[in-house]
Amino acid sequence: MSSEDPLQEADTPSAPRQRFVLDDRGFNEVPKKYRKFYRTWDGPEDVLAPNEALCPVCKIVVRSSRELRPGDRIYCMACMTRLQIVRSDAGHLEAQVIY
Amino acid sequence: MAGTNVDLHGLEPEAFLEEVHSFEFWFQSVEGYLVGLEHGRQPQTPEATLSGLERERLITVLCNYCVGETAALEGAGGLIQIAPNRAAKIFLSTQAVDEGRHLEVLVRRLRELGVEEPEAEISLRASRSLVEFKRRLLDLVRGRDWAAAIFAQNVILESMEFAVFELHAPRERLAVIREDLDPLVLQSFHETMDAVGTPREEREELGRNYLRAVERLGFA
């Protein structure tokens, strides 16, 4: 990882980030070693954890081993998309497509 | 490449692209959802009882799927020649394999439904607009117009990589291609829905879903 990458560690809030141990949720559309980074989305009632974001392209949940914050980069392997975490007007964290 | 403890989201973009375009990635991915299936389905899946009309409708839908899958198969295969880099060529090889598998599954299903000559049935039932779409897509491939051809294929399939063609053509030009091809896509929906007797309100939803998918790819 490059320390100069603007999509990594873009903000530096004072509180340390929460860490998460990822488990395999059965998302079988990527190789086994990557399955823990994804899970299926259960629809609008599905409450995302602080380390999760919804891919707006293919509507699966992307998971990280750490709490997500604005400016973070995440990847959706299902649609090969690079995403950036942003804060929506409503105050929620959202994933925005970079490409 | 990455081991079991990889920090996926910490990968450099180039490393991520290399990984998701690789044959190994594709192979391990399809292994996850195809293992135990025969011709794309669980062997124990019971056969649904279809009325004569339902069978006819299903055959029409499958025939049109076959046109789309054949377009994608021929398109992906042809695009390998003009893909701008090794990663894209390898990815397209996996797509060609996938599309070939889809086509085989669909033709097999047609035979199961009693269609003795699938090729003839496909010709008979295929939407003219979809056939025209296929012709135009393959023209783009034959014309070695990489950005246009890969874009057209993505519209049909609502999938595939976006990054490569964005690098190779201005957005304005892709918008023109979309404007050119959208009516064919929507017309092919209507023709197929006409053939299977789908109510108008459901057709409109299909069109909206298509347009939403294109918009999600950044072409609002």
Side-chain angles (χ1 to χ4, degrees):
Chain A
M1 167 190 335
S2 163
S3 59
E4 296 177 356
D5 190 329
L7 295 186
Q8 287 284 295
E9 307 287 357
D11 60 336
T12 53
S14 54
R17 291 182 189 243
Q18 287 178 264
R19 305 294 296 189
F20 295 83
V21 177
L22 301 179
D23 53 343
D24 187 334
R25 298 288 185 88
F27 185 80
N28 66 359
E29 295 177 29
V30 296
K32 275 182 186 169
K33 64 184 174 187
Y34 297 123
R35 287 183 189 172
K36 63 185 178 183
F37 293 105
Y38 303 96
R39 68 173 177 84
T40 53
W41 184 50
D42 293 329
E45 305 303 312
D46 188 343
V47 179
L48 303 185
N51 65 324
E52 295 181 330
L54 185 66
C55 171
V57 178
C58 57
K59 302 290 185 188
I60 64 169
V61 177
V62 183
R63 308 169 75 215
S64 171
S65 58
R66 61 181 190 162
E67 174 192 351
L68 293 172
R69 291 182 178 173
D72 284 351
R73 173 184 66 211
I74 57 173
Y75 295 113
C76 178
M77 288 185 135
C79 62
M80 304 182 180
T81 304
R82 178 156 53 115
L83 304 161
Q84 184 178 13
I85 301 298
V86 296
R87 191 168 296 283
S88 71
D89 293 340
H92 304 300
L93 291 182
E94 292 180 351
Q96 206 170 58
V97 175
I98 301 299
Y99 65 76
Chain B
M1 178 59 207
T4 50
N5 293 319
V6 63
D7 175 15
L8 171 64
H9 305 302
L11 292 176
E12 290 293 344
E14 296 76 16
F16 170 74
L17 288 176
E18 178 88 10
E19 176 71 354
V20 293
H21 282 77
S22 71
F23 198 92
E24 184 69 15
F25 177 86
W26 170 83
F27 190 73
Q28 290 189 24
S29 297
V30 297
E31 190 273 340
Y33 58 82
L34 289 181
V35 67
L37 304 185
E38 290 180 12
H39 303 289
R41 66 180 180 189
Q42 300 283 357
Q44 65 272 24
T45 302
E47 183 62 71
T49 304
L50 300 174
S51 68
L53 182 59
E54 286 170 335
R55 176 184 166 279
E56 285 300 307
R57 287 174 171 171
L58 180 56
I59 290 172
T60 297
V61 170
L62 292 175
C63 284
N64 281 282
Y65 282 178
C66 284
V67 176
E69 296 295 344
T70 304
L73 172 60
E74 295 179 17
L79 281 163
I80 293 171
Q81 292 183 52
I82 58 172
N85 56 54
R86 174 182 48 80
K89 288 177 189 290
I90 292 172
F91 175 83
L92 284 163
S93 77
T94 68
Q95 186 177 0
V97 173
D98 254 340
E99 308 302 356
R101 184 178 65 79
H102 300 160
L103 182 59
E104 182 181 79
V105 166
L106 295 171
V107 170
R108 183 183 175 85
R109 185 71 180 128
L110 283 173
R111 290 191 194 282
E112 287 174 351
L113 290 167
V115 176
E116 293 179 359
E117 296 183 37
E119 299 307 326
E121 204 66 35
I122 291 166
S123 298
L124 191 68
R125 299 189 186 227
S127 151
R128 283 173 298 175
S129 296
L130 190 55
V131 172
E132 172 64 8
F133 193 110
K134 173 173 175 272
R135 188 188 69 76
R136 298 275 287 278
L137 167 65
L138 297 180
D139 276 351
L140 292 172
V141 175
R142 275 189 290 272
R144 304 181 70 81
D145 190 341
W146 163 252
I150 194 78
F151 177 69
Q153 182 143 320
N154 268 283
V155 171
I156 293 173
L157 299 172
E158 296 177 26
S159 67
M160 263 279 291
E161 59 174 351
F162 173 61
V164 174
F165 60 74
E166 190 181 43
L167 290 176
H168 288 264
R171 271 182 163 319
E172 295 74 21
R173 180 159 173 264
L174 297 183
V176 170
I177 295 167
R178 182 194 164 182
E179 194 176 347
D180 188 35
L181 294 179
D182 267 356
L184 282 176
V185 173
L186 298 174
Q187 188 58 29
S188 70
F189 287 164
H190 281 300
E191 288 174 5
T192 307
M193 296 301 103
D194 267 344
V196 301
T198 302
R200 181 157 293 279
E201 59 270 21
E202 291 178 28
R203 301 178 191 194
E204 288 170 0
E205 183 58 23
L206 184 62
R208 278 196 292 271
N209 283 343
Y210 161 74
L211 294 171
R212 275 198 292 265
V214 176
E215 284 167 9
R216 281 206 299 272
L217 289 169
F219 292 92

